[in-house]
Amino acid sequence: METQVETLEFQAEARQLLQLMVHSIYSNKDVFLRELVSNASDALDRLRLAAYLDKDLEVDTSDLHIDLAVDKAARVLTVRDNGIGMSREDVVRLIGTIAKSGTAEFLKKLKESKEAKDTVASDLIGQFGVGFYSSFMVADKVTLLTRHAGEATGTRWESSGEGTYTIETVEDAPQGTAVMLHLKDEDAEDHLFDYTAEWKVKELVRRYADFITWPIRMAAERTDAEGETTTEVETVNSMKALWARAKDEATEAEYHEFYKHVSHDWQDPLETIRMQAEGTFEYQALLFIPSHAPMDLFMREHKRGVQLYVKRVFIMEDCEALMPEYLRFVKGVVDAQDLSLNVSREILQQDRQIQLMRRRLVKKVLSTVKTMMADRPEDYGTFWKEFGAVVKEGLLDDTDNRGTILEISSFDSTNDGEKVTTLREYVERMKDGQEHIYFATGRTRSLIENSPHMEAFKAKGFEVLVLTDPIDEMWVDAVGEFDGKRFQSIAKGEVDLDSEDEKKGDEPEREQQKEEFSGLLAWLGTALEENVKEVRLSTRLTTSPACLVGDTNDMTPALEKMYRAMGQQMPKVKRILELNPEHALVTGLRKAHEEKADDPGIAETAELLYGMALLGEGGELSDPPRFARVLADRLSRTM
């Protein structure tokens, strides 16, 4: 047979794209082995399918595998499979042109970009399937020998990646594909390692291809105690994808060990979640809820997301696209059978499949927590203690699942000092005629329980949610209601807890108080106008002389402070000063104002009254030294 040898040029666009691949796209040179092993695994899958569909195809599928061979002297690493192989036409079409379509359009966009190097990897790369060309990051020359299953002759392809390649027909090629990399010299500064080192090759296999279905074999030299050297062929990948096994084929101990492997945690997980989606879009997931929160859970540098595999090939360590921020504690793996990736397989395209997987994973995690809440309350208690503050972030970010998040949330309340309550339980305990879910926010439970705002609620026996997480300041306004009951801050708006009969009975007294205190209220409004927008009589105080409240739609002081800490310029929000008309200090101040309105001491008393109201709710004085001086002076006069 006459040997056909040709020297061909890459397409102009393909040549430019090849240089871009080698120098700009891949940030980690180690991924070359992942790409080659992935291609080999695909070839084995296709051969098994072809043999199943074509019973006349004369191929041996009894020992499908991938071989890795190292020639240290020649510095050649070979990745070989006995899969479907390629014909001469396949080689020219798939390798010589890099892509069947889209290359020209890609390069047009590239030329239009003024910051090509920075934008290519993240914005412009499409689906070209050219992972093979990552080989040129580590090799000066690449030789490919392949024979398609069922064909008599094979093809040898060779190139240095510059501009041309040679291709010839060979008679003695084995079935499958072998890629021989003539490796560059080691260069530590360029992160180019010695890929002839056995330990390095095994490390890359374990990192990227440990769970591939097919065995990956490698010859290794062993020296015994007598100094004799022998060569053994060993399988270097485990092939044990725990997520692909049937549920009854894996033990709880194996799940726990796998969790520790992927999470680097030393404790067993609180919950194991298995998922398998079949149909037009298939994927498997094995997720874990840890039993304790990591130290960096609230740090900006915290890594989130699950490990992503495609057909058991490792793609990404922390795939943020698959898990929202408020579930950043969830660990595990997702293995998709058919997923669109960019050329480097490092950045997922935000397509419909990704969004679909994310939605299903989130719903599964939340439903698992809901089941835990009903069936294993102690484990749920641990979960909420460790991750509740994070989960509540979803009330702001995930409107689609807001209802479910509210159902699985728990809160401290005045109903029980030891146990948390769900919103459903709160609603079931509401008094007849109660229209709102009352809540109070603050730094600690003690501050909230001893706040003047709480007095009337304690006296009337109304339950109040005690919210101490910073996120609580934000989500209550965003959510608005639960089960038709609106959330109402006890420190905002006007509160009237009296029944209709009580209101009718107290109405004459209230009208009389308004008239008696009208002069004092007007004067205080003027005297304290720099700090308050209004002074009025209170229905929420029973023992304290005064308190500060916000208008219904005003921002709370804590939220205002939070925004300032983030660098946002916020206008000062003035609040309302409410007075207890039954308190001796307030009635004494009214009498003193009526008798000697011009006395400087009355103005000082007003200043102290405002300061006490501010301190009573855990606020901060604008001028603590002055407050202390005025207070000391007034106390000294009583001695």
Side-chain angles (χ1 to χ4, degrees), residues 553-597:
N553 298 316
D554 278 354
M555 185 181 299
T556 65
L559 191 56
E560 182 182 347
K561 185 177 180 180
M562 195 183 306
Y563 280 124
R564 291 186 190 279
M566 293 188 292
Q568 297 190 31
Q569 298 299 320
M570 305 297 297
K572 181 179 179 181
V573 179
K574 290 185 180 182
R575 303 173 72 201
I576 299 168
L577 179 65
E578 287 193 351
L579 304 182
N580 179 359
E582 305 293 337
H583 196 280
L585 177 58
V586 176
T587 56
L589 181 60
R590 176 178 66 84
K591 185 177 180 180
H593 176 261
E594 290 174 351
E595 295 176 353
K596 43 185 177 179

Side-chain angles (χ1 to χ4, degrees), residues 262 294 296-308 316-332 350 358 362 390 393 397:
V262 299
D296 61 348
L297 185 62
F298 290 98
M299 295 182 183
R300 183 174 298 179
E301 298 78 14
H302 177 78
K303 293 183 178 180
R304 68 179 176 90
V306 296
Q307 293 184 0
L308 175 65
M316 189 180 297
E317 178 69 29
D318 302 295
C319 184
E320 296 183 357
L322 290 175
M323 201 59 63
E325 184 78 19
Y326 74 93
L327 294 180
R328 56 184 175 273
F329 53 86
V330 175
K331 301 298 180 184
Q350 296 301 309
R358 177 186 172 113
V362 169
V390 179
E393 294 175 11
D397 303 332

Side-chain angles (χ1 to χ4, degrees), residues 166-424:
T166 62
I167 187 167
E168 62 179 309
T169 301
V170 294
E171 296 184 1
D172 56 351
Q175 175 193 300
T177 299
V179 180
M180 288 150 278
L181 309 179
H182 304 263
L183 296 169
K184 298 176 182 179
D185 292 331
E186 185 177 359
D187 186 346
E189 290 185 3
D190 195 30
H191 301 287
L192 188 63
F193 301 102
D194 181 9
Y195 297 108
T196 64
E198 178 185 328
W199 70 269
K200 182 63 179 178
V201 175
K202 287 183 177 180
E203 176 200 329
L204 297 185
V205 171
R206 283 193 292 268
R207 187 194 310 169
Y208 293 119
D210 196 45
F211 303 119
I212 280 182
T213 309
W214 309 108
I216 302 174
R217 298 170 183 165
M218 186 175 180
E221 292 185 352
R222 296 288 179 265
T223 303
D224 59 22
E226 299 177 358
E228 294 186 7
T229 300
T230 58
T231 301
E232 299 178 359
V233 176
E234 60 182 29
T235 299
V236 292
N237 64 320
S238 70
M239 297 182 288
K240 295 180 180 179
L242 197 61
W243 60 84
R245 296 193 205 172
K247 190 173 184 179
D248 56 358
E249 293 180 2
T251 66
E252 185 178 32
E254 286 179 305
Y255 284 132
H256 290 181
E257 189 62 33
F258 183 76
Y259 163 74
K260 293 172 184 177
H261 170 70
V262 299
S263 68
H264 308 294
D265 193 1
W266 67 92
Q267 296 185 24
D268 291 338
L270 187 65
E271 183 65 89
T272 301
I273 304 171
R274 290 174 52 94
M275 278 188 71
Q276 182 162 339
E278 298 179 345
T280 56
F281 179 47
E282 298 182 3
Y283 63 90
Q284 297 165 315
L286 181 58
L287 306 178
F288 301 93
I289 297 176
S291 57
H292 65 100
M295 296 288 290
D296 61 348
L297 185 62
F298 290 98
M299 295 182 183
R300 183 174 298 179
E301 298 78 14
H302 177 78
K303 293 183 178 180
R304 68 179 176 90
V306 296
Q307 293 184 0
L308 175 65
Y309 286 75
V310 174
K311 295 181 180 178
R312 300 194 188 183
V313 176
F314 177 73
I315 301 299
M316 189 180 297
E317 178 69 29
D318 302 295
C319 184
E320 296 183 357
L322 290 175
M323 201 59 63
E325 184 78 19
Y326 74 93
L327 294 180
R328 56 184 175 273
F329 53 86
V330 175
K331 301 298 180 184
V333 299
V334 175
D335 187 1
Q337 297 303 305
D338 182 19
L339 197 60
S340 300
L341 305 171
N342 74 354
V343 289
S344 67
R345 299 186 182 221
E346 292 176 0
I347 300 173
L348 289 174
Q349 292 183 348
Q350 296 301 309
D351 61 10
R352 187 185 63 84
Q353 292 178 341
I354 296 297
Q355 296 303 318
L356 180 62
M357 273 203 298
R358 177 186 172 113
R359 286 197 295 270
R360 290 179 177 175
L361 292 172
V362 169
K363 288 185 180 299
K364 181 65 174 179
V365 172
L366 296 180
S367 66
T368 300
V369 173
K370 192 171 184 178
T371 301
M372 183 195 303
M373 189 180 198
D375 300 342
R376 292 153 46 209
E378 288 189 7
D379 286 343
Y380 167 78
T382 299
F383 165 81
W384 192 253
K385 178 182 177 182
E386 297 292 325
F387 305 110
V390 179
V391 172
K392 285 187 287 187
E393 294 175 11
L395 294 172
L396 293 173
D397 303 332
D398 189 355
T399 54
D400 291 340
N401 292 299
R402 182 176 285 172
T404 304
I405 297 174
L406 286 174
E407 290 281 1
I408 66 170
S409 296
S410 292
F411 309 93
D412 287 329
S413 88
T414 56
N415 180 67
D416 191 321
E418 301 296 328
K419 296 180 181 179
V420 294
T421 184
T422 65
L423 292 175
R424 183 66 58 194

Side-chain angles (χ1 to χ4, degrees), residues 443 447 548 557 575 611-622:
R443 292 196 303 273
L447 277 175
L548 289 167
R575 303 173 72 201
M612 288 189 296
L614 190 59
L615 292 173
E617 65 175 13
E620 298 178 0
L621 296 167
S622 60

